[in-house]
Structures are given as C-alpha cells and as structure tokens.
Amino acid sequence: MAEPIAFPSTTANFSLPLLFAGQAQKEFVLNHSLQAIDALLQNSVGDSISSPPATVENGATYRVAENASGSWAGHDGDIAMAIGGAWVFVSPLDGMMIYDRAARRHLLYDGGWKSATAPAAPIGGAVIDIEARAMLSALIEALRGIGIIA
C-alpha cells in the first residue's frame, strides 16, 4: 500500500498558512493568506523603523530596523505587516527587493538589507580621463553591491 501524501501546513517561501481537508473556519486561514499576499505583492514598505508605530492601518508594511523593540523585538530585518489588528512578520529571502517609501530608495536582501550608495563626484584634477574612469568604476561597484549588475 502506498504511503499517503503529507502536505505541509504553510507555504515554502513565506510560511503563509494553507488550508487542509476538513478544516473548520477556513475563511480565517484564507483571509490571512490573502492579506499577507496583498501586503507583500506591492514590494514596498512605508518606512524602516525599529519599533511599531503608535497608530497603523490594516495592510501597512514596515521593514524592521536593527535593535527592534516592543512587539517587534527579535524581528530585526523582517517585514512587519499589520493584519487584523496584529503584527505578522515575514523573514526576507535572498534576492528579495523592496522600495522604502520614506527613504525613497530600493533595498536588496542578500544575507542582510543593502542599498546602493552614490559614489563621490570627481572634483578638480588635471587629468579628467583618470577621474572619469574612477567615477565609472565606483558607479559600477555601487550597482554590483545591490545586485543591479553582476
């Protein structure tokens, strides 16, 4: 006789809850998953902060900054989503990109959140070609640093 198939209770990547046969009150699990998908699908967060805001709307998302406190303690680097009056946390995966609307910058997760920093503009000098090459090299390295170029 074949072994029965065992299905997991959550999705592989973001641990969204899955329905199972005979489950009571399926609408709670389904609604929770849809709310989380809705929050993650936009690929942006309102801000990167270390403690929960005093007031928040359902569906709001934040990147939990270092040294998180309060109900966010222990969730440094996670994405915090306000769902049904509670905070739900999603751990980022390598390659995940988000846009921080408050900082107006893109962030890439690769073992930690990274963002490109603008290279210093060349100033002065007698040989412009050398400065231009150095500037281009710095720009290329900054783009590599956030995974825009390989």
Side-chain angles (χ1 to χ4, degrees), residues 39-122:
L40 292 170
L41 195 59
Q42 65 184 331
N43 287 345
S44 69
V45 294
D47 201 353
S48 296
I49 54 179
S50 59
S51 61
T55 59
V56 67
E57 291 184 31
N58 194 45
T61 56
Y62 296 90
R63 182 179 69 93
V64 181
E66 299 296 317
N67 302 314
S69 62
S71 60
W72 288 7
H75 292 282
D76 294 10
D78 287 355
I79 304 296
M81 303 176 292
I83 298 177
W87 290 108
V88 176
F89 301 94
V90 171
S91 296
L93 303 171
D94 285 346
M96 185 178 190
M97 289 191 76
I98 60 170
Y99 181 73
D100 184 324
R101 293 188 303 273
R104 299 182 59 165
R105 67 181 179 160
H106 289 276
L107 300 164
L108 168 75
Y109 190 84
D110 185 19
W113 289 106
K114 300 177 181 183
S115 66
T117 55

